[in-house]
Amino acid sequence: MAAGRWAGRGDKDGADQAAVDAMRALASTLPVRGVVVIGEGEKDQAPMLFNGEVIGDGRGPECDIAVDPIDGTTLTAKGMGNAVSVLAAAPRGAMLDPSAVFYMEKLVTGAEAAGAVDLDAPVADTVRAVAKAKGGEPRDVTVCLLDRPRHAELARQVRETGARISFIADGDVAGAIMTAREGTGIDLLLGVGGTPEGVLAACAMKCLGGVIQGRFVVRDESERRRALDAGHDLDRVLVTDDLVRGEDAFFVVTGVTDGDLIRGVRYGAHRATTESLVMRARSGTIRFLRSEHRLDRLASYSAVDYLRTGREALA
Ligand SMILES: O=P(O)(O)OC[C@H]1O[C@](O)(COP(=O)(O)O)[C@@H](O)[C@@H]1O
């Protein structure tokens, strides 16, 4: 709700800061002894929700926390669709620490084709495997790709199979989840995106019964060194369980701007409505939450002021 106020205001840093501040204020009330494994970066760049920060009320179970207060900061700043706010939790030590490498090659698909795909296989085989698992032909498959020059050859290979492509400007966490949700029209996500977003997507896939396979992509020699020093094998295909171990993962995503997965925040006079998916891996329960909020009432006690907007709210 704090992030949604920034939709279309042309200020991606302001949007992100508002989301981080709100998430930090509320995370401190969670009944956990949480460590931020995926946050806003190293402590010297991020005053809040930095990697390694201890959050929660210090009384509950020990857990790893992964956050992306806004996945799609540019989408938010431009008022474009599919920006979401994400938080995941798993037992302490279950999540892979992705901080050494920025990018990861990804393949994500839902439950039907989960056992039939392989990141090492040619793209045509992957598309065919997904089509077959879903009882169709490659032309029935829609592949989600981040719209980036680096994906030109990948797009060519996908098109050659007869499959369709849905390009997204940003936000491959939502793109990944869409592969596993009925009615989104997306069957498969391919391409290179952020590594933290890959671990977050893995938490979601655990809950949805889908799969993610990934491989680190280093940008230069110094990143390569950092990755090797952190003990990563750069050739290895990482599967969902390498990114988050076990079945005890929790994942929640809330729409910031309207998207194909969920709606964004809508505001009225002292009111707001939000949509979230709240999921648990062990039970496989997926809760679709449509909430109506009374911002005037929240104002009397909430740590977050949802009534103020823009830079004024950050002052
Ligand atoms: O824009 P790049 O460098 O291709 O990185 C892709 C990553 O950026 C995003 O599109 C958006 O991330 P931000 O919201 O942090 O800007 C991610 O969803 C994706 O994984």
Side-chain angles (χ1 to χ4, degrees):
M1 284 193 286
R5 294 281 195 200
W6 294 75
R9 299 177 68 86
D11 184 351
K12 91 192 210 14
D13 294 334
D16 202 36
Q17 191 61 54
V20 171
D21 289 353
M23 197 174 258
R24 172 66 160 42
L26 298 178
S28 66
T29 67
L30 291 174
V32 294
R33 283 175 290 162
V35 174
V36 177
V37 174
I38 296 174
E40 291 295 292
E42 299 309 312
K43 189 173 182 176
D44 54 348
Q45 311 142 7
M48 290 188 196
L49 293 177
F50 56 84
N51 301 346
E53 184 177 1
V54 176
I55 58 166
D57 69 359
R59 286 201 290 268
E62 286 190 82
C63 60
D64 286 352
I65 301 283
V67 297
D68 199 349
I70 301 180
D71 188 37
T73 50
T74 303
L75 298 175
T76 304
K78 292 184 173 175
M80 291 165 68
N82 279 323
V84 295
S85 183
V86 178
L87 185 145
R92 184 80 195 105
M95 289 181 198
L96 179 108
D97 175 355
S99 55
V101 189
F102 193 84
Y103 285 119
M104 173 184 268
E105 183 185 352
K106 304 175 193 175
L107 182 166
V108 190
T109 192
E112 285 159 294
V117 289
D118 177 2
L119 187 64
D120 277 331
V123 170
D125 291 2
T126 302
V127 171
R128 267 196 296 274
V130 171
K132 186 164 174 234
K134 294 191 158 196
E137 300 290 328
R139 63 169 180 265
D140 304 320
V141 170
T142 301
V143 183
C144 181
L145 296 185
L146 276 166
D147 192 5
R148 299 289 184 275
R150 63 175 179 264
H151 291 154
E153 172 56 19
L154 178 59
R156 192 195 61 74
Q157 292 175 16
V158 170
R159 287 176 181 137
E160 210 168 66
T161 68
R164 303 194 303 173
I165 297 176
S166 172
F167 284 107
I168 50 172
D170 267 305
D172 70 351
V173 176
I177 299 170
M178 283 194 271
T179 67
R181 293 289 294 164
E182 243 346 85
T184 61
I186 302 295
D187 304 292
L188 176 65
L189 176 129
L190 294 175
V192 173
T195 306
E197 286 85 350
V199 177
L200 282 161
C203 293
M205 287 302 124
K206 285 248 152 157
C207 301
L208 291 159
V211 70
I212 174 167
Q213 297 180 7
R215 184 167 24 221
F216 292 120
V217 177
V218 293
R219 291 169 294 178
D220 53 30
E221 187 50 35
S222 77
E223 192 171 35
R224 206 182 132 70
R225 267 278 122 242
R226 262 205 318 281
L228 296 177
D229 290 348
H232 297 313
D233 177 347
L234 298 177
D235 297 321
R236 188 157 156 246
V237 174
L238 302 165
V239 297
T240 316
D241 211 58
D242 296 317
L243 299 174
V244 54
R245 263 202 320 279
E247 287 310 311
D248 215 9
F250 295 79
F251 184 92
V252 55
V253 52
T254 299
V256 175
T257 59
D258 283 350
D260 299 322
L261 184 67
I262 35 179
R263 262 195 195 173
V265 189
R266 305 274 171 102
Y267 301 93
H270 305 307
R271 287 166 196 269
T273 56
T274 54
E275 287 190 0
S276 303
L277 283 173
V278 183
M279 313 189 269
R280 183 181 189 193
R282 184 183 283 180
S283 63
T285 306
I286 299 167
R287 295 181 172 88
F288 187 86
L289 231 66
R290 183 160 195 281
S291 311
E292 296 175 17
H293 307 269
R294 288 286 305 265
L295 303 183
D296 49 348
R297 295 198 186 178
L298 289 176
S300 67
Y301 66 89
S302 174
V304 182
D305 184 351
Y306 301 106
L307 288 171
R308 289 198 298 170
T309 59
R311 289 267 158 202
E312 173 205 346
L314 295 178

